Amino acid sequence: GRHSMLPRHVQRLGRDWIAHWNGSQILTLNSPVSSCMRWAGHYPWASFPLPVPVDFSANWRLPPFFGPWRQFQNSNWQLDNFTQSSCFHLPNPSMKSEGEEPLTKKRRLSGQHDTLTPEEETNVSNQKEASCVSVAQNEEKQSRRKGTVKRHWEYFCQHSRTMKIFENKETDQSNTESEAKFDFTVMSYNILSQNLLEDNSHLYKHCRQRLLIWTYRFPNILQEIKQLDADVLCLQEVQEDHYRTEIKSSLESLGYHCEYKMRTGRKPDGCAICFKTSKFSLISSNPVEFFRHDIPLLDRDNVGLVLLLQPRFHCKTNAAICIANTHLLYNPRRGDIKLTQLAMLLAEIASVAPQKDGTFCPVIICGDFNSVPGSPLYRFIKEGKLNYEGLAIGKVSGQEQFPRGQRILPIPIWPKKLGISQNCVYEIKQQQKEENAGEKLKAAELDNTQEIVMASEKLSSKLQHHFKLSSVYSHYFPETGIPEVTTCHSRSAVTVDYIFYSAANDDTAAQSGAEDSFHGGLKLLGRLALLTEKDLWTVNGLPNENNSSDHLPLLAEFRLIER
């Protein structure tokens, strides 16, 4: 056959190889060599010079699939079958963008045959020649980025035009259809507070110490933010002194306006929402403190932040987008606190998001929820309801497979004086100052009625909220069922970070049941794919040499749909 000169175990790779062969040309020692071999694994586009006998033993190391050198030497492998411009390319499973995907992968996805057309062969040949010319540059870049796991961009809409991660975004102002659409990207990223890192050093025993120093970590984090270039950043564990001295100024130099809410008490970190001033203007900023000194249940210092943003584009109505960011309590055995903190955040969103016509503007909720997919807290966010009767406090977040705390959630979970109903909205406080005995008697009768109502509410174990939210991520890889992970350290590798959004009715990527009470909605155009635990441990987990947080950044692209 065509590859009869190759060992059988190399022939098996033939389906995924693209190679140029020219039997009429022979590679001799006197021939100038501009060739390369490339293949992708966890280290995409690692380049190796062609094995020329003169410097083969000194400069080239055989890839593992060639087996021992003796076996390779005894096989019928002949170097004179290569041409001066030949290159091997294995399809990269973690391409940066759709435009860089190998043609073989594109055909498989579209159900077409693997045979290359003449035009495609010409295109591939040109790509190979260009790649060979830049092999030295790639080797240099690869040496700098050693140990990087690439993440690819997944598209849900063919008309998505934002590819800012890997190329400059160009907007055609003359295209009226383009002007009528507003596309933007949102990132959620727990950047790992330095104080928390040092206080929980047992989680990072797998890391070299130099990688855990802030002066090493911050340039990496900032470079990641620059590269992903999101229009909105929702950051958690932003340490206050670092924010004040370098994070804020660095982000402002990139065109962001920053809003920040530090945790209450003595906790030195908080949440930040930063947005590109070229894309949005600020309508309102609404911090949420989950600590309440008068309510024993709410004795933790977590916070949230809710922004109402105005897109900078001409539209039929005064469109607005509500962006929320939070970091809920970690403690796996305090699901009662987690649910109450979530209810307080939802109540604030419900007070910020309503429009003049009574509908809600589109909502995006980002953050570290310290809860796993499928847990009761996660289902409450997505389904808009939760019956928690008989639910153990330690099972709310699903963080522990065998929770130690078996105490059952009380009914209701939080006291009446919190001022938030079971529908997760602020209750209207009616304060009447009575001046005569008759009015006071009337008020007393009203109070008795309210007590009866409260008693009936206590019997209700159902929580609800007004938002039908979809998750940007599906949490499992559909081909294998292997879980996605957003955080990975010495103790665990799970998903706890999310981007939830109110989907438009025509959003095919959303879960069923988009809420009709929203003003328009959001269409998910694409997302930056997550990784598996196995992927991350190939680069020694998180943090590592290139990823300086113990969380991965989540990134999604949306299109604002007007109703």
Side-chain angles (χ1 to χ4, degrees), residues 16 24 26 48 57 102 108 119 144 253 274 281 308 330 335 341 347 426 442 448 467 506 509:
D16 288 327
S24 62
I26 298 176
F48 300 82
S57 60
R108 286 192 210 103
E119 292 80 10
R144 289 199 306 264
S253 68
C274 314
S281 59
L308 193 62
Y330 167 76
Q341 291 179 345
Y426 292 127
K442 211 171 192 178
N448 291 334
F467 312 106
D506 63 342

Side-chain angles (χ1 to χ4, degrees), residues 127 140 472 540:
Q127 290 178 359
E140 182 182 356
V472 163
N540 200 38

